Amino acid sequence: MPVDDLVVEPPAAARRLLGATLRSGPVAVRIVEVEAYGGDPAGPWPDPASHSGRGRTARNAVMFGPAGFLYVYLSYGMHTCINVTSGPDGAASAVLVRAGEVIDGLGVARGRRPAARSDTDLGRGPGNLGTVLGITLDDYGTPLFDPASPIRLELDGAIDAAQIASGPRVGVSVAADRPWRFWLPSSPAVSAYRRSPRAPLAAAPAVVPGAGGRVRRNTRGGAMN
């Protein structure tokens, strides 16, 4: 089953999602930027920057379940951010979908983000992507590989590693230099990297620059955005 491709460690799941199609009603996007997140200290991938980094709660429970389900949350209390659960059942992890290129339902997408300067900007950044796809908190826990689901994930062929860039995650104040952000440099829809001002000063690792763009910084410490 396609979902088996996501029953792996967080970075591997994140890379596998690049190039995949995420479809919500009439709008579909090609995923071009993602970030991997692990879980609590008792799990195989401790990650203090993750929503599940301190253990299971009602809010993050789906992250502890099987791979291939939708985890959504609000950033700034208004922007819906989209995550795909990964790893084996019981081990918390998920992949934040940061950016996508609209490949279907362009008219609907434009209507949802009329202020976007170009089609490239429509799904650039996690909050914008959630708006374009029309995903809300009510979609929490949606099974993404169920053919009857209103939101579906379609995994295409894996992208060659030579076409993928990696670097630090955007806006997190802890584990700030963990290179768990992955993107396709060939896509103009990739957002810009911005380090949290609350992250400890450290020399950022050398990375391949992503395409231009803007993304809002998450002001919450240890959050996925």
Side-chain angles (χ1 to χ4, degrees):
M1 295 178 62
V3 69
D4 292 341
D5 286 0
L6 301 182
V7 188
V8 291
E9 62 180 1
R15 288 190 293 266
R16 185 65 183 88
L17 286 177
L18 288 173
T21 298
L22 183 60
R23 187 178 301 275
S24 176
V27 179
V29 301
R30 176 177 179 258
I31 297 173
V32 298
E33 181 186 3
V34 293
E35 284 179 344
Y37 286 86
D40 60 289
W45 308 294
D47 186 357
S50 175
H51 283 176
S52 57
R54 295 184 179 181
R56 181 192 288 259
T57 66
R59 179 196 189 200
N60 66 29
V62 71
M63 292 183 68
F64 288 81
F69 286 76
L70 192 67
Y71 170 49
V72 294
Y73 66 90
L74 287 182
S75 175
Y76 297 104
M78 58 189 293
H79 300 296
T80 302
C81 295
I82 303 164
N83 302 262
V84 179
T85 62
S86 59
D89 191 0
S93 64
V95 178
L96 171 67
V97 184
R98 287 199 56 87
E101 301 168 344
V102 178
I103 58 175
D104 201 4
L106 187 58
V108 175
R110 287 172 177 160
R112 289 173 174 168
R113 288 209 64 232
R117 295 181 302 175
S118 68
D119 293 347
T120 296
D121 288 336
L122 287 170
R124 176 185 286 144
N128 293 334
L129 187 64
T131 297
V132 162
L133 289 169
I135 291 176
T136 71
L137 291 180
D138 290 337
D139 296 311
Y140 180 100
T142 298
L144 297 174
F145 289 95
D146 184 343
S149 174
I151 306 171
R152 298 183 305 282
L153 181 64
E154 303 164 6
L155 295 181
D156 299 317
I159 300 291
D160 187 274
Q163 300 178 42
I164 299 174
S166 65
R169 295 175 292 193
V170 175
V172 296
S173 59
V174 291
D177 293 305
R178 189 176 295 189
W180 278 14
R181 172 178 170 241
F182 303 92
W183 67 94
L184 300 179
S186 60
S187 174
V190 173
S191 67
Y193 170 72
R194 291 184 181 177
R195 187 180 181 89
S196 169
R198 296 191 309 278
L201 294 177
V207 298
V208 178
R214 304 186 310 279
V215 64
R216 296 187 179 187
R217 176 179 56 81
N218 193 331
T219 58
R220 296 174 301 166
M224 294 199 299
N225 187 9

